[in-house]
Structure formats: C-alpha cells, structure tokens
Amino acid sequence: MLESKITQLTVRDVRFPTSLEQHGSDAMHTDPDYSVAYVVLETDSDAALKGYGLTFTVGRGTEIVVCAVKALSTLVVGKTLKEIISDFRGFYRLLSSDGQMRWVGPEKGVIQLATAAILNAVWDLWARVEGKVRNKPLKTNTSDPAKLISCIDFRYITDALTEQEALDILVKAKKGQKSREEQMLKEGYPAYTTSCAWLGYTDQQLTQLCSEALAQGWTKFKVKVGADLQDDIRRCSLIRKLIGPNNTLMIDANQRWDVNEAITWVTKLAEFHPLWIEEPTCPDDVLGHASISKALAPLGIGVATGEQCHNRVMFKQFLQASALQFVQIDSCRVGSVNENLAIILMAAKFNVPVCPHAGGVGLCELVQHLILFDYVSVSASLNNRMCEYVDHLHEHFKSPTIIRNAHYIPPKDSGYSCEMLEESVQKHQYPQGEVWRAIEQQGKQ
C-alpha cells in the first residue's frame, strides 16, 4: 500500500463553542473557541485508505489556515506514500520552502500551521499502512537510526545538533528500550492537568474541579495567571491549600508580561512554590526569557515555553541561550513529527526535559505519541517530565486519549489518533454546522 497515490485532500473548518463556558480562557485568550483545520487525505488504495490530520486554532482565523492548506494541497495530491517517505526530508522542504509561498512564512505562522496539518495526515496515513500506532513505526525505525534521521530537516540547526550527534543519541538510547516500552504499556506516561484552573473559572469551580482531580489521583496542577496580581495570589493560595504542599504546581501567563514585569510578578507568587512559569513574555523573545530564567533561578522557579515557538530554529536559540528549563513541544505549531523530532533530539543534547503542550482539540491525542517516543527511544528519563492534559472534547475522536491514574496510556489503534467522528465534524463545521446555526439563531432572538 506504499504505492497508494494521494488522489484528494479535503480540509474543513471545525469549531467548538468553548468560550460559552470559559473553557481554555487565559490572560491573553479570554474567549477561545477551540477549533481545527481538519485534513483528510484520500488515496486510490483498494482498501479506501485515508490519512487524517489537523492543526489547532482558537476560533477566528481558522478559515485563513484552511486557505493555506488548500494552497499547499497541490504539492501533495498526486504523490504516492512511497515517494513521500523515501525522501521525507525533501518532502518537508517542499511544503515548508516552496519558492513562492515561503514568502508568507517562512516556516512560521499560518503557513507552518497548514504544513503541520498536512504532515500530520501523512504520518497518520503511513502509520495506518504499517498497521501500527505512531510511536511503533518511530521506534521500529530507530533500529535503523539513519532512516529516522532522514525525516528531519537539519538546515539551520547544525550549529546546535549535527546529524551524527542525533544518530549517537538514538543509538545510545537503544539500551533499555524494551523495558521502557513495557513500563509505558503497564503504567503510562505521567500527566498534569490544566482543566481545573482556567482564568475565567470562579473560585467555586476551582475548588470543585481540584477536589475532583485529587480524588482521581492527579498530583500535578497548572494555574492560569497574569491578568491581575491580587487575583493570582488569591487563586494560587486557594489551589495550593487544596492540593497540599507535596503536590506540584505550575503557573502559566500565556505571554502577558514584559520581561521586568514578569520577574516582579512571579517573585510575588514564589511563596506558592511553582515548578515553572510558562510563557512569561513574548514567545519570540529569546533573550527576554533568558533574563527571566536567570532572575528566577535563585527562587527555584524554572521557565517553560514552546507552544508558540515557530520552528526548530527558535528552540535551538532558546536552548543555546539557557532561556528555558522545560521544552514544551506542540504537535501542531511546528512542522509535525518531522520538526518535533529535531526539537526532541536537541533537547536531549542540551539535557532539558520535554514537557509537551496539549489540550485544545486533538492535541492530547497527537502529542502522546511524541512523548512516548521521547521516553522510549531518546531521553530514557522521567525526571521532571510530564505531559499536559486537558479534559475537553476527547469524545469527538475515534481513538480518544486514555488517562489512567493521571498517566497517558499508550494508544492501541493504528494511526496518529487524530481521526474525528464524522458526525462531530459535520455538526461543528463552521459556519454551516448545526451547532453554529443554532448559536446564530439564538443571537437573533
């Protein structure tokens, strides 16, 4: 089936009205409607084989990503899967560095989100052909590290990580691989929850949700901060009292502050002993993050960022500048698995833990494959490592994330876990879906 030709690419704008209940609200995104540009690759396979992919957005603007996917589709349709994976590095460059469309990037913003959606669908298609879940083909390919490395575009990062260094990391991690895989199948990968403390939630909601999470075995909690200092002090105090002194607390400002403001603000929250401050300032400000990291180090507070880093080059600079202590990869912000592999390997070289960003629509389903691969085949460590989990919208996926005892349980179905239920897609397609027509009608009343 590797000879199957991609005959059609369709993309749809699918949105969920999460803003109605303040799900996902933070200091910068006060009314998000969790959304995706949802891609389906159709093939001429006798088995009607398809590949499914997506990229995450928060409502308005999804239609722009859809247009970008359509613009890139001509580079995909007509190719066989074998053509793509036999030169995956070249295919990645084809999408990310088209001689004309790269002008509206390059490798950043809307065009990179569109690239991620398409590549996610290609990886899903490949995994379905292999009949294995995503971390399995990746793990299998590490028996021939050169084949896996050939998926990565090392352009612009060889001053931080060479191909040989990446190969050496993969070879070294072979030791103990089987036992780590068995451990993940039995125990799962440690997760933390953000679902309890969105910025728009009331204290009553915080109390109820934290109490429920504790009863379910959660020990790591993230709190949204950044809009009002006194409000942050009150909310962090409440949650720290609820979860106790021994459980882990993180805080997330979602890019709200200037550099000096971030240092002052977080210093005043230090009494609650957060493990990290996430996205304290502009996501592009490498030196600003470095200043914040240096200032907060004596307080035992690290800096985490990455969910809005454009590409591997940004991560390279953050790592070289010691500007972060936790690398937060995102399965849809950068160029899919290909680019995330480069970031994971750079993080391993710099000995910085990977703690992925997830949540949204489908991000948990996707990123679980990447973090399982990181542990089994790259880092071989769980020290200070965890993967974000948000308990929203999983019911719209054919193979939803499974959480047991606050751990991600490895998926069993073939693919990259991002195939949505067609009924959900149709109901939430924007603007003609049933859900959005009902909301529009209510607005007219």
Side-chain angles (χ1 to χ4, degrees):
M1 286 192 285
L2 289 176
E3 300 290 349
S4 299
K5 182 181 292 185
I6 297 170
T7 57
Q8 185 175 359
L9 183 156
T10 60
V11 57
R12 286 178 282 181
D13 181 337
V14 183
R15 308 187 193 184
F16 298 86
T18 48
S19 63
L20 297 178
E21 298 181 82
Q22 291 288 288
H23 301 321
S25 55
D26 61 52
M28 295 295 277
H29 312 94
T30 56
D31 62 343
D33 285 326
Y34 280 178
S35 310
V36 294
Y38 182 57
V39 171
V40 180
L41 300 178
E42 298 185 25
T43 71
D44 60 5
S45 163
D46 292 337
L49 191 67
K50 296 181 181 181
Y52 301 86
L54 57 83
T55 196
F56 172 66
T57 61
V58 292
R60 291 184 297 276
T62 310
E63 71 278 10
I64 304 172
V65 183
V66 167
C67 287
V69 171
K70 290 178 179 178
L72 290 170
S73 66
T74 57
L75 303 175
V76 183
V77 175
K79 292 190 179 298
T80 66
L81 183 59
K82 185 177 181 180
E83 284 180 88
I84 292 172
I85 64 175
S86 63
D87 182 19
F88 218 151
R89 180 181 300 172
F91 183 70
Y92 175 86
R93 284 193 180 182
L94 178 69
L95 288 181
S96 62
S97 298
D98 175 83
Q100 294 184 7
M101 282 187 286
R102 75 181 304 276
W103 193 259
V104 294
E107 297 185 83
K108 61 172 72 74
V110 169
I111 202 71
Q112 193 75 337
L113 292 174
T115 297
I118 292 171
L119 286 171
N120 283 340
V122 171
W123 280 94
D124 180 70
L125 182 63
W126 186 14
R128 290 169 186 270
V129 168
E130 295 288 341
K132 301 168 183 174
V133 295
R134 168 77 337 259
N135 56 307
K136 283 286 188 177
L138 282 174
K139 178 180 175 294
T140 299
N141 285 343
T142 58
S143 61
D144 178 9
K147 185 176 180 182
L148 179 57
I149 294 301
S150 71
C151 297
I152 301 170
D153 188 353
F154 283 87
R155 183 162 56 180
Y156 309 136
I157 63 170
T158 54
D159 55 321
L161 179 74
T162 66
E163 290 193 42
Q164 186 60 54
E165 288 173 324
L167 284 165
D168 292 343
I169 290 169
L170 291 173
V171 170
K172 181 180 178 181
K174 280 187 173 183
K175 184 178 180 180
Q177 218 171 58
K178 183 174 176 58
S179 64
R180 291 193 296 274
E181 183 176 349
E182 291 173 351
Q183 178 191 1
M184 289 296 99
L185 290 170
K186 181 180 179 181
E187 302 174 7
Y189 194 91
Y192 72 87
T193 179
T194 307
S195 303
C196 303
W198 297 115
L199 199 63
Y201 284 2
T202 65
D203 287 1
Q204 182 179 356
Q205 284 177 293
L206 298 182
T207 301
Q208 178 182 342
L209 292 171
C210 276
S211 299
E212 291 174 354
L214 286 164
Q216 293 166 4
W218 291 94
T219 60
K220 304 174 180 69
F221 298 80
K222 189 165 76 180
V223 183
K224 296 291 183 174
V225 299
D228 179 271
L229 178 57
Q230 294 307 312
D231 188 51
D232 288 347
I233 292 172
R234 189 192 77 254
R235 294 168 74 252
C236 287
S237 176
L238 173 62
I239 292 176
R240 177 51 82 188
K241 288 177 182 176
L242 285 167
I243 68 174
N246 297 322
N247 285 328
T248 305
L249 178 71
M250 292 82 71
I251 54 177
D252 183 359
N254 289 95
Q255 315 154 32
R256 181 62 182 252
W257 306 311
D258 283 356
V259 172
N260 291 331
E261 183 182 18
I263 294 168
T264 301
W265 200 300
V266 176
T267 298
K268 293 180 179 178
L269 298 178
E271 63 179 293
F272 306 111
H273 305 291
L275 176 65
W276 74 53
I277 171 62
E278 184 172 329
E279 289 198 303
T281 191
C282 171
D284 300 347
D285 189 355
V286 176
L287 297 182
H289 279 80
S291 296
I292 295 168
S293 293
K294 184 177 180 180
L296 297 181
L299 301 174
I301 302 172
V303 170
T305 197
E307 71 179 81
Q308 291 205 351
C309 280
H310 304 302
N311 49 49
R312 65 199 179 281
V313 182
M314 291 290 299
F315 280 99
K316 177 192 76 170
Q317 294 174 353
F318 274 103
L319 290 164
Q320 288 175 324
S322 300
L324 47 66
Q325 288 70 55
F326 301 91
V327 169
Q328 295 184 305
I329 59 171
D330 183 283
S331 53
C332 295
R333 172 64 57 176
V334 299
S336 185
V337 176
N338 309 67
E339 195 160 32
N340 270 310
L341 290 176
I343 297 163
I344 287 169
L345 287 163
M346 282 193 290
K349 178 184 173 180
F350 284 83
N351 197 29
V352 177
V354 175
C355 298
H357 169 250
V361 185
L363 297 183
C364 296
E365 278 70 21
L366 287 165
V367 85
Q368 63 182 330
H369 297 275
L370 299 175
I371 199 61
L372 286 165
F373 171 75
D374 174 60
Y375 176 61
V376 172
S377 300
V378 181
S379 69
S381 173
L382 294 177
N383 184 40
N384 256 352
R385 295 167 187 267
M386 63 194 93
C387 186
E388 185 171 22
Y389 178 74
V390 175
D391 192 17
H392 301 308
L393 307 175
H394 301 289
E395 67 274 14
H396 300 289
F397 287 84
K398 188 174 180 180
S399 302
T401 300
I402 299 172
I403 295 289
R404 187 173 68 214
N405 297 326
H407 285 67
Y408 277 89
I409 301 303
K412 295 180 180 179
D413 295 338
S414 297
Y416 200 7
S417 303
C418 52
E419 180 182 356
M420 300 183 73
L421 299 175
E422 183 60 26
E423 180 183 3
S424 292
V425 172
Q426 292 185 15
K427 285 180 66 175
H428 294 88
Q429 191 167 349
Y430 186 86
Q432 67 268 40
E434 174 187 328
V435 168
W436 291 104
R437 283 189 283 108
I439 290 173
E440 182 183 18
Q441 191 62 36
Q442 290 172 3
K444 293 178 180 179
Q445 294 176 353

